[in-house]
Structures are given as C-alpha cells and as structure tokens.
Amino acid sequence: MAERESEIHARHNGTSQIYSVWPRSPPEPATVGGALVAPRLPPPPARSIRDLIIMGESKWMGKRWEEMDTDVLVKIFKELNLVELSPVSQVCRLWRLACSDPLIWGTLDFGLLKSNFIQTRASPYIWVDDRSDKRLAKILRVAMAISRGNVNCMIFHYNLYMKDEHLHYISQRSPHLKRLVMPAWNRISRAGICQAIERWEELESLTMPTIGHPPYIMEGLANNCKNFKELKIMGSFDLLFASAVTTYLPKLKVLSLRCSKVTMGALQCVLNSLEHLEVLNISHCLLFEMATNGRRQVIHELDNKALERASRLREFHHCQSRQCVACQRMMLDEGILRWYRYEDWFWRRDEVRSLDLKDYGRLFGAQCEMLTSVD
C-alpha cells in the first residue's frame, strides 16, 4: 500500500502556502484487483497571488514598461497626439527620451490650428484675438519642450497669423528645420523672418505667401541656407518676384506656383534664367499679360516658345482648362484664391509630390484642437 504523503504547512510573506513532500523513498506502485496502478502524484505547490503576478509578468510580458527598449516605446508613442504625449513624457527619463525621438517629430503639422481674427483696412490688415496668440504660445511651448530640437518639418495653416515672438521661439528650438510651410506672414516683420532664416541653416524647402518686397527674403535664403532647393509661392507672382528668385536662387531645383496669379513676363523669366530648374508647377494658375490698351488679357494656352523652354524640365505641370474645377475657381476669384470657400484639404494639395502635404498629421489632430483652448 502506498505510503501516505506528509504535509508541511508554512507561512511565507504573510500568505499561507502548502508544500507536498514525499518521503525519501518514492512510493511503491499499488495493486487493485490484481492490476498494477501508478501511485497518486501530489498536487503542485500552492503559490501566493504575488508570486503568480510576478511569474505572469515574466512569462507573458517579457519586460516591464520601464525596462522596454526605446525602439518599442517609440513605435507605441507614435500613435499618440501632442496632448497625450505631454503627460507621457513626464513619467520617467526613458519615456521622455522616447517621446522626443525624431521618428515622432519629423513633421509637426499644425494644419488644423487657426487664429481667431478679423480683417482690417490698415496694415497688417489682420487683427487677431489675444486668446489666439496665447493659445498658440502654449501649444508651441509644449511641442518644443517634448521634441527637443528634432523637428524637421513644420506646417502652419493659411489662417494662422503668428507674430515675431512665436517665430523667434520656434526658430531657437528647431535648429535642424528643413522644411517650412507658412502661408501667412501678415504679422511677421522683415527682421523677424530674416532672423529665423539665419538660424535655419539646414532649410531646404519653403512655402510662403506673396510679399511686397521679395528680394530680401531670397537674399537671406541664398546667404544662409546652402542646401535650399524648393520654393512654393501662394498668391501672385510678378516680374519683380521672378527676378528676385532668378538673381539670388539660380540653383533652385523645384518651383511651384500652383493656384497663383502669374504674369507671362514672370513665367518667361523663370524659364529663361533658372538653368538648374528641374520641376515647375503652374497648374491652375491665372496667367495673364497686359495688353497695349492697359487691360489685362488672360492666357488660356501657352505658346510654342514657352512649351519648348519647359520641355527641358524633368517635370512640368500645367493646367489652364476651362473645364477644370480648380481653374474655374481661380477665374471666379480673379486670381487670388479664397481658400476658405473650398475644401479643407484643397490648399494642401500640389502636383509636385515633394510639396504635397497629404493628410493631416497625427501629432495635432482635431482632438488636440478642442483640448488646447485657453481659459
């Protein structure tokens, strides 16, 4: 007959546990009705809840959160927006390091952030509510603090009217910026934009509005941004603007004038003078020239000379069709597109792949827009 097992009761960490212990010699097999029956094995040792939790973490999770690899944390944090990243970055040093990774902050898209403003008749022709300025300053502080200088591309809405103070703040804290999309400069002074460009030595691409005296900005780009190669103008493009571009940026590779009012003289200047130009986009532009009677004459088709000059380019995008919806909008708005009348995504599009803004980024989505109000 099999020996009976002995039981030892012990207390460990305040929790009762039962350990089944066999005698030194293993139990002999028993016989029932002449048949050999294996001895009954003892139940496994009972464990405390604490031991089970630790064992579960070790077996199923592999590592604790504070021990996870930075690469894994970055992949997780990429799914968060700016509002969610703010408290996460304050958990510990490892999480803060992961939150500032360049893979998260490569593009900071504020395309949904707009100012609360009204138009005025006096310069700068815009009045912005003080609460909008404070809100923008608050958002920029959070973004610049978490990103720790790793932003490569910044995108702003055409109705976001920042001041010199805002531009000064971000230019100091994003020294490696390579692309800037900022279609509204009404409240930015000449000194303010020049000072920012001096800091952005790695800038390669700029999307900007029409300005009254373009030579100074082109000169600033030429003197400070040695790798500058892409320029997009949103507004109007005349011979003065074209001359400034060809004079100071002769090695420009990409130029987009999409949905702008362009004089034929400016277009000819670009085609004749920019020998290194590879890509030109004049899609949906309102092309015109001044007739002898002083009236504006709209050009719906390019002449053979312009087409011949454009044929040397790697990419030449043009559309001046009366059947095109975008071209119809340009005619309706007389060459200065009222972006607010149309789809939210329309201003972000471009036939040039490197200039197209695609969908809005995750870092500042619609949820962030609602949660970043200023009391």
Side-chain angles (χ1 to χ4, degrees), residues 272-297:
N272 293 332
S273 303
L274 290 179
E275 298 181 357
H276 297 274
L277 191 67
E278 299 178 0
V279 180
L280 176 62
N281 185 11
I282 59 169
S283 298
H284 324 303
C285 287
L286 182 65
L287 300 175
F288 71 96
E289 59 184 1
M290 301 305 296
T292 54
N293 58 5
R295 299 186 62 181
R296 186 181 67 181
Q297 181 179 353

Side-chain angles (χ1 to χ4, degrees), residues 132-203:
S132 287
D133 286 337
K134 291 180 179 179
R135 179 192 184 201
L136 177 58
K138 174 184 175 182
I139 294 171
L140 292 176
R141 281 197 302 270
V142 174
M144 295 298 100
I146 303 175
S147 63
R148 300 173 70 178
N150 287 320
V151 178
N152 292 324
C153 172
M154 281 193 189
I155 302 171
F156 297 98
H157 194 271
Y158 61 86
N159 275 341
L160 182 68
Y161 299 98
M162 67 173 66
K163 300 190 297 184
D164 283 353
E165 295 91 317
H166 300 128
L167 189 61
H168 176 76
Y169 187 84
I170 61 177
S171 65
Q172 282 187 319
R173 291 160 178 81
S174 55
H176 304 296
L177 193 72
K178 293 184 178 181
R179 183 182 183 187
L180 176 64
V181 178
M182 192 169 64
W185 289 17
N186 298 57
R187 305 171 72 205
I188 296 176
S189 68
R190 174 173 176 172
I193 188 63
C194 287
Q195 189 179 53
I197 289 176
E198 288 176 2
R199 294 193 179 104
W200 287 326
E201 296 180 356
E202 300 177 28
L203 191 67

Side-chain angles (χ1 to χ4, degrees), residues 237 262-272 280 282 287 302 306:
F237 190 73
V262 181
T263 66
M264 285 302 298
L267 179 59
Q268 292 168 1
C269 178
V270 167
L271 290 173
N272 293 332
L280 176 62
I282 59 169
L287 300 175
L302 295 175

